[in-house]
Every structure is written in structure tokens, then in C-alpha cells.
Amino acid sequence: MSSSKRFRPLSEALANVPDLPPTQVGTPPPSPYRAPPGSPKRRRRDQERSDDIGGPMPIELFLYCSEPYRSSSARIPLPLPLTMKPMTDEFRGRVRNVPNLFQEVQNILTQHKVISTRIDLLMRSKPGYPGGDNPVPQIRVNVQATDDVDTRDCSKAKRTIFKVLEVNNLGDFEIEIIDPRRALVFSIFAIQPGTPQIQAFEKARSRLSQLLDEKLGRHWTSVCIFLVGQFFAVADYSVVVTVPPFSSADWRILRFQVIQLMDEAFSALGKPHLKGSTNAYFLTGGPQEVYHWGRAGTCQGISFAQDLDQMPGMGSSIGLPGQRGGGTLGGFFGLQIGNVVHRGVLSNHHVVCPGDDNRAGQQEADWYGVRLGRQATHPSRSTIQFPCGEDYTKSQENIRDELFLVNQSLNTLQAAIQKAGGAIPSQQRELRDLQARRTRWTTRRQQLQQFPRLLGQVLLSSGRAMTEDLIPSYIDWAFVELDPATSHVLWNHPDRNRLPDNWTMRNHEPNRYIRNAPAWDINHRPRFSNFGELKLGGWYFKLGRTTGLTAGICHGTKVLINDWPVNATRAKLFEDGTRGRREAVADDKSLEAVIINAKQIATGDRQEIFCVDGDSGALVFDQFGNCCGLMFGLWSSDESPKDRDREGYICHAGVVQPIDQVCKWIEQQSQLRDERRNLDDPPSGPPAKLVIL
């Protein structure tokens, strides 16, 4: 999917900054910037209170001005983290043409008492972020800020260095001075349910939503409380508000108002001693559907060339024939309707929904979902293949490249043997290895000709639906019936619903995520045989098409999401006994469960990914192998695409719908056989039941 409708042009963000109405909650007392204290946290908070960052401004400028450990010459520096790659030869040549440039830069740093540890020539970008797609040459100076050094000296040094660059026709270069150890790149950690901070947030949630609606309108995407910091040990309880890029507001006052609402909630709970114990952050991010190629060009295909002998199973790649995009095969299930059981797989509606070449079927499927009784030729019933097109293309490229390298090595070795008049034993062994390797890849090339294969056709799906709750949750599921020609082979394959073995699971055992949790029982292998409950605070794992096996903690409270960034009409499914109907959604706010991953390293827990593009449709399991949920989205603390090049410190949380909720709405949707019938009529057939066989 695309979030382009949320992006505001930079010129508009700068030229049309809205005037905010006077605050009704309170304003922080102005405090002039003074010499920073030693603590990085105190130094950052002191910077946030500075009059220099008061008034309406783009969120990027606020984040930059709030950071005392980063100084950049960019007009509006993009939020960290950034994609940094070595500078291209063209720009390096221009730097070499300036004699003694590095020495002059070092002299300026020394003059301003800035201790540099490293100077790099890099290309800076942030793919997928407005204004971040094109790499920009950057001279990055890594420094080691000390407690007795005023970080304003870095800004003075930066301005002086940039003047030198301009004089030497390098004005298109950026200069950035940063302390990478202290510049805050946000790690976000889960909180166990029932803590006073969770209780206060849930009590203040509606007022926080009203405040954000009043100050930001539709320009905010989610709000929740997390533990926020570079590592778990130094993380603070913080309310995190995600907003679209280049959103404008008086963020300093809004932050104060958010904290004040939390303090009032603590007082209402009878815990005034906790007032001031929570912080507040504004980040560019929020919810996304993790549909592969949701943003054109942001994700690459994955080769399955070495797994051609394996049948599609849990976590495999699926997609629409001839369409860009793909997701995850969740698992194999039966759909029991009366005495008939349909064999198929479970995934997401947005993964198998008709593509842009079938607008009529796409709109019908989004609004009504796919209902039972539809003819196979109905435009809403998509045909699904495995793997998706991009993965098939990547596999072709992988095999081609491997054969090229093998043949090249063989030719080189054979030429050397011929020149020497014979092969020594080591060359003979190498020759046999290369010939065997060429045979393997040639066989794989022949096997690949049998792909992509037909998996089946969508039999039943939710469409874009919501539950009928005070604050609803989204419903996004689809059941794909297996093609009769391959159903018997796929269904009877012993590994179709195979969970990871015990040794693999030990790297993700619960006590790596939950303090004092029991160690993984090496003698117990989880079996996929039952449904379970998705509990806040619990440990879960998933198998996804892109990231494979990952695990994490279900956050202790649900995230309040303000409008999913999708260009489609949502519908709300009402219950009335056995009847149901669809109506347009006026307000897209929803409460969603998220699973957050973290990694234990020597210096403390650090952010780790749970899912990225292409993982939509993955099932979520507890430690006993019970299927507890179906993943359909991603909540991120960074707006740019989710890739593994910049996984550290960026939250890639999975948005999950409980499996019992999916089963409930499968039963409800299966009774709506004909959209032309009177909504007051009784169901037109028996309900469907999702079963594990």
C-alpha cells in the first residue's frame, strides 16, 4: 500500500505552517538555553524547553532542534536513522581536488574544541521518506561529546566548515557533526499489562485522542505508551505519538500537554507520586499494511532457488499472477460448512485482493469481501500462485548468477590445468567440487521451469472490515481454497504445517524476552494442533515470508490508531443475531494489539524487527504451538520503508488480530451468501467453521 496521501510537500510544510489555537491545558514556562548538564537525558529535555524550538514547525525540524548531539547543514535534516553508503567516485574526485581539505576541517574542529573520532565521506539517503530518495553527499564527523563541552560548539564548527565547502564549490555537500553514541535513535520496548503507567494511559487515552484531533486534525497516525530509549536498561515510560512526515504544530507545547494529561490520570488513579514519571515523543511513523511491494521499489524479491524441493508450507510466499506484490501463506486449514470440508490456506484479504487491473473486483472485494456461492469466474475471486512474481524473478536471477560464477571458475581452473600440463590433487578436488556445483544449479534451473504454481482461488474473505466495538479493531483475513489439481499433494505433505524444531526455537525462547520466564523445554516440540488466546504481555512467534522466524512480546495495552493509510473504503460489520450488514466508516480510529521484538546483547536489550514487507498473513503462535493470531499490519516508529539495512533501534512491531476474532467473523461472513437479499432475511446457509485438520 502507499502512504503518499499523508505526505506534505516540503514547500507547503514550510510556507503554510498553521497557527494553532491557544492551549486549554497549559503551557510550559519559557526557559532560556543554558550550558547543558552532564546527563544526556537532562541535556535533551533542557534543549526541548528552549525557546529556539517554540512555535509551529515541521516535525523533522523539531526532532532535529531537540537533539543536542547532532548538527547538520541540511535545511531540514531528516530524522535518524539514515541509510549511509560510501561516497561515489564522482563526489570523491571533487573532494580530492580541494587540497588539504581534511586538514582544514580538522583545524576548525580543534579551534572550536570539538573532539573528532572519525571523518567519513558518505552518501546520505532515507528511501521512501519524502525528500530522502536521492542520495546526497555528506561529510560526516563523528565526535565524542563530553559533559563539560557545550554542544553549541558543534554548530559553530559546522557553519565554519560549510563556508569552506561553499568557497571550494562543494556547496551541494552536507556537513554533519554527530555523536553516534548519544544521538537518540529510538528503541521501543513492550510493557507488561497492569503497570500504573499502562493504567494511566488507558484512563487518559480518550482525552489524548481529543487533544490530538484538536491540535493536529487528521495529521496523526497513532498514540500509545511504551518504554523508549536506546537500550532497555535506560528506557523511560513515554507516550509515543506518530505523525506523517512534515506535519506541523507547536510540538513543544503539545508535548507538555500530553504529559500533563498523563499526570492528571495518575492523580485520578490515586497515584500522584507518579506525576512526572512519563515522557512524550513525536515520531514520523505509524501503521502500515505489510504487503510486499506496497511501495514500489522499496523491497526486493527473495530467492527460493535452494528450496525448490520443498512444498509450499507455513510462511511461504504467495501472490497474484501477473501482479506486483506478495504476502505470506499463514497455514493450512479446513473450512467446514455443514458436512463439507474445504481444504485451503489462511492469509490476509489485502494480500489476495484483486489487483489494479481488476478495479471492479477490487472494489467489490474491499466493500463486501468474498462470499460463499460466488462463481469461480466472479471478479472478486482472485487466483493465487506460489511464489509471488518478484520471488520467482529473484530465483531466476540467483540461478543465472550462480551458474555464471561456476562456469567462470571452471574455465579459469581448466585453463590453469591445461597450462601446467596436468592437475595436482588439490586442483582435481576443486574441479570435482565445481562440476558438482554446476550440476546442482543446472538441476535447479530445470526445476524452476515448473514454477510459479497455482495454489488455489479465494473462497471467502473479510474485505476491509471493522468490529462493532466502542473503539473497533480491523478485520483482515482470507481463505484460499486449494486447487483440485494440487490439493491432494499439498494437503498430504507432512511438513505443510510444520513448526520450527526445538534447536531453532531455543534462539527465540521466552526467557530472552520476558524477565524470569521459564527456559525453553528442549524435549518439547510445539505442535500446531489447537487455537489459543492472544494475551497482552504474552510471548509469541511467527513464520513470515520475508523475516522467517521471529518472536516478541504482545504489548501490555493496545495501540490507538487514527486512520490506516490505505486508499480504499473500509466497511463495518454489525452483528444482530445471525444477520449482518455493511456500512461506511465515518471514523477510522481503532485499537490494535502489537507484538514487539527486542534482542539481548552485551550492553542491554536493543530493538529488533518482528516483521517487514511481505510478512502479511503470517500466523502467530504461543510457546505450546497454539495458533493465537493472524498478522496483518506493521506499526513502526519510522516512516521510511522497513528493511534490514537499518533495523537497529527502529521498531517494526507486528499488528495482530486474535484468531478467535477471525473465526467469529468467518462464521458471520459465511452467512452472507447474496448481497442482493433483504438484510432482514434469515441466513441463506449454514455458518462456516475454521478447523485444524
Side-chain angles (χ1 to χ4, degrees):
M1 52 111 259
S2 174
S3 297
S4 59
K5 70 170 186 173
R6 292 185 165 277
F7 295 163
R8 301 179 62 200
L10 178 59
S11 58
E12 177 186 340
L14 294 176
N16 300 315
V17 176
D19 293 329
L20 297 180
T23 174
Q24 302 297 319
V25 182
T27 57
S31 61
Y33 186 78
R34 60 182 182 276
S39 165
K41 289 183 182 179
R42 289 180 57 199
R43 182 177 292 191
R44 187 169 287 108
R45 288 175 181 175
D46 188 66
Q47 183 95 336
E48 289 169 350
R49 297 188 183 100
S50 168
D51 289 338
D52 294 339
I53 61 174
M57 64 178 64
I59 180 61
E60 291 79 7
L61 190 57
F62 174 77
L63 292 175
Y64 169 70
C65 293
S66 301
E67 179 54 70
Y69 298 102
R70 181 189 182 201
S71 183
S72 173
S73 64
R75 186 184 181 194
I76 297 185
L78 298 182
L80 299 174
L82 304 171
T83 297
M84 310 301 295
K85 295 184 178 180
M87 186 175 288
T88 60
D89 292 339
E90 174 191 355
F91 290 107
R92 282 183 177 272
R94 292 175 57 189
V95 172
R96 286 194 215 93
N97 291 334
V98 180
N100 302 321
L101 177 61
F102 279 95
Q103 184 60 50
E104 190 167 358
V105 168
Q106 190 61 60
N107 292 340
I108 293 172
L109 295 172
T110 302
Q111 177 185 350
H112 289 85
K113 301 179 182 179
V114 177
I115 305 172
S116 65
T117 59
R118 181 170 179 170
I119 301 177
D120 291 316
L121 299 178
L122 302 169
M123 300 300 294
R124 185 272 301 163
S125 64
K126 194 176 180 72
Y129 200 96
D133 288 328
N134 297 324
V136 175
Q138 182 184 97
I139 298 178
R140 170 169 282 210
V141 179
N142 288 350
V143 301
Q144 184 173 348
T146 57
D147 296 340
D148 58 346
V149 173
D150 191 333
T151 52
R152 290 175 297 180
D153 290 334
C154 292
S155 296
K156 298 175 184 176
K158 171 212 46 180
R159 289 192 292 269
T160 306
I161 294 173
F162 188 69
K163 290 179 181 178
V164 173
L165 296 179
E166 287 184 314
V167 169
N168 290 279
N169 297 319
L170 298 177
D172 54 338
F173 281 54
E174 289 180 358
I175 175 70
E176 178 157 304
I177 302 176
I178 187 171
D179 184 345
R181 300 177 307 111
R182 298 191 179 188
L184 185 56
V185 187
F186 298 87
S187 285
I188 292 179
F189 303 98
I191 307 173
Q192 287 297 305
T195 63
Q197 288 78 11
I198 289 282
Q199 295 172 0
F201 171 76
E202 291 175 344
K203 189 171 186 63
R205 184 161 50 201
S206 62
R207 295 185 65 194
L208 287 170
S209 176
Q210 293 171 6
L211 173 67
L212 296 173
D213 283 342
E214 175 190 350
K215 302 300 183 183
L216 300 176
R218 301 301 296 175
H219 290 281
W220 66 279
T221 55
S222 67
V223 61
C224 196
I225 189 169
F226 299 96
L227 282 169
V228 180
Q230 286 188 318
F231 300 103
F232 183 85
V234 296
D236 291 330
Y237 289 102
S238 303
V239 175
V240 175
V241 180
T242 58
V243 300
F246 294 103
S247 299
S248 291
D250 191 331
W251 304 105
R252 184 178 68 129
I253 290 181
L254 188 55
R255 174 183 174 274
F256 176 81
Q257 293 170 336
V258 169
I259 294 174
Q260 190 174 48
L261 288 178
M262 287 294 294
D263 288 346
E264 292 175 5
F266 282 124
S267 297
L269 291 171
K271 299 176 181 178
H273 61 285
L274 291 177
K275 293 172 65 174
S277 64
T278 56
N279 202 348
Y281 290 108
F282 299 95
L283 306 177
T284 58
Q288 301 172 25
E289 289 170 333
V290 283
Y291 180 67
H292 182 43
W293 289 102
R295 295 177 178 173
T298 65
C299 189
Q300 299 299 318
I302 296 176
S303 172
F304 66 101
Q306 301 192 45
D307 301 321
L308 292 171
D309 294 331
Q310 299 182 9
M311 292 291 178
M314 189 181 299
S316 295
S317 164
I318 60 174
L320 277 67
Q323 295 289 316
R324 302 187 74 184
T328 297
L329 186 158
F332 289 80
F333 292 87
L335 192 68
Q336 184 174 353
I337 308 173
N339 296 324
V340 179
V341 177
H342 299 263
R343 295 175 174 179
V345 301
L346 192 66
S347 188
N348 289 145
H349 163 75
H350 75 266
V351 170
V352 303
C353 181
D356 292 339
D357 62 339
N358 181 8
R359 288 288 187 180
Q362 185 183 78
Q363 293 175 3
E364 168 121 356
D366 279 342
W367 181 261
Y368 295 107
V370 177
R371 300 180 178 183
L372 295 178
R374 297 277 172 85
Q375 297 294 323
T377 56
H378 195 281
S380 66
R381 293 193 62 189
S382 303
T383 298
I384 308 303
Q385 70 177 31
F386 68 91
C388 69
E390 281 75 26
D391 291 351
Y392 173 72
T393 301
K394 186 68 175 180
S395 300
Q396 287 181 311
E397 296 173 354
N398 182 203
I399 293 175
R400 181 195 62 203
D401 293 344
E402 288 292 338
L403 282 173
F404 174 80
L405 292 174
V406 169
N407 288 328
Q408 189 179 52
S409 299
L410 269 173
N411 293 336
T412 302
L413 180 59
Q414 289 171 344
I417 293 174
Q418 184 177 4
K419 183 177 181 180
I424 60 177
S426 61
Q427 289 177 321
Q428 293 175 349
R429 289 193 299 271
E430 185 180 0
L431 183 63
R432 288 194 299 269
D433 291 343
L434 287 172
Q435 290 172 339
R437 183 178 166 191
R438 181 172 63 179
T439 300
R440 286 196 302 271
W441 284 105
T442 301
T443 302
R444 288 170 182 166
R445 183 173 60 183
Q446 296 171 349
Q447 291 176 320
L448 187 64
Q449 296 175 1
Q450 305 173 18
F451 292 89
R453 295 180 182 175
L454 179 63
L455 179 66
Q457 192 174 23
V458 178
L459 179 65
L460 192 68
S461 75
S462 62
R464 298 190 181 277
M466 299 176 72
T467 62
E468 174 56 2
D469 298 312
L470 182 61
I471 301 181
S473 298
Y474 284 120
I475 304 296
D476 190 337
W477 54 264
F479 183 85
V480 179
E481 186 175 24
L482 296 178
D483 182 69
T486 57
S487 174
H488 179 76
V489 176
L490 295 178
W491 191 263
N492 291 297
H493 196 277
D495 292 337
R496 72 176 192 272
N497 278 339
R498 184 181 181 89
L499 295 178
D501 59 64
N502 287 338
W503 287 104
T504 303
M505 291 302 302
R506 288 199 70 180
N507 295 324
H508 302 272
E509 56 186 340
N511 61 359
R512 292 176 179 265
Y513 301 87
I514 305 177
R515 298 296 186 270
N516 304 318
W520 188 263
D521 184 359
I522 192 63
N523 298 314
H524 167 73
R525 177 170 185 165
R527 301 287 181 180
F528 177 28
S529 58
N530 293 299
F531 293 118
E533 181 183 359
L534 186 70
K535 298 179 179 179
L536 299 180
W539 173 89
Y540 299 95
F541 69 91
K542 72 104 181 74
L543 291 169
R545 167 252 178 212
T546 309
T547 55
L549 172 63
T550 58
I553 303 299
C554 188
H555 187 48
T557 186
K558 293 185 177 182
V559 177
L560 178 62
I561 290 176
N562 182 43
D563 183 20
W564 281 90
V566 292
N567 297 318
T569 303
R570 291 270 179 185
K572 185 173 287 187
L573 192 59
F574 290 83
E575 281 189 290
D576 181 13
T578 57
R579 299 192 297 275
R581 59 194 174 92
R582 295 284 181 127
E583 290 188 354
V585 174
D587 188 355
D588 277 355
K589 287 187 175 65
S590 70
L591 284 174
E592 308 294 348
V594 297
I595 298 178
I596 301 176
N597 194 357
K599 181 180 181 181
Q600 290 187 357
I601 58 178
T603 54
D605 295 359
R606 196 191 74 177
Q607 196 74 66
E608 188 78 354
I609 60 174
F610 184 78
C611 61
V612 294
D613 290 342
D615 285 332
S616 276
L619 297 177
V620 172
F621 298 90
D622 64 17
Q623 66 188 91
F624 304 108
N626 298 318
C627 177
C628 301
L630 177 66
M631 202 188 75
F632 71 99
L634 165 73
W635 184 91
S636 174
S637 60
D638 186 58
E639 180 62 38
S640 56
K642 312 302 165 275
D643 59 62
R644 288 191 148 183
D645 292 338
R646 295 178 294 108
E647 66 181 44
Y649 302 118
I650 285 298
C651 184
H652 305 76
V655 183
V656 180
Q657 53 195 326
I659 197 65
D660 57 348
Q661 184 172 274
V662 173
C663 292
K664 169 185 173 182
W665 293 104
I666 285 178
E667 178 179 342
Q668 181 72 25
Q669 177 74 356
S670 67
Q671 294 181 297
L672 305 179
R673 303 291 176 93
D674 184 357
E675 69 275 15
R676 294 184 299 274
R677 70 181 178 85
N678 190 317
L679 292 173
D680 293 327
D681 289 344
S684 53
K689 182 179 181 182
L690 192 69
V691 294
I692 302 173
L693 299 176

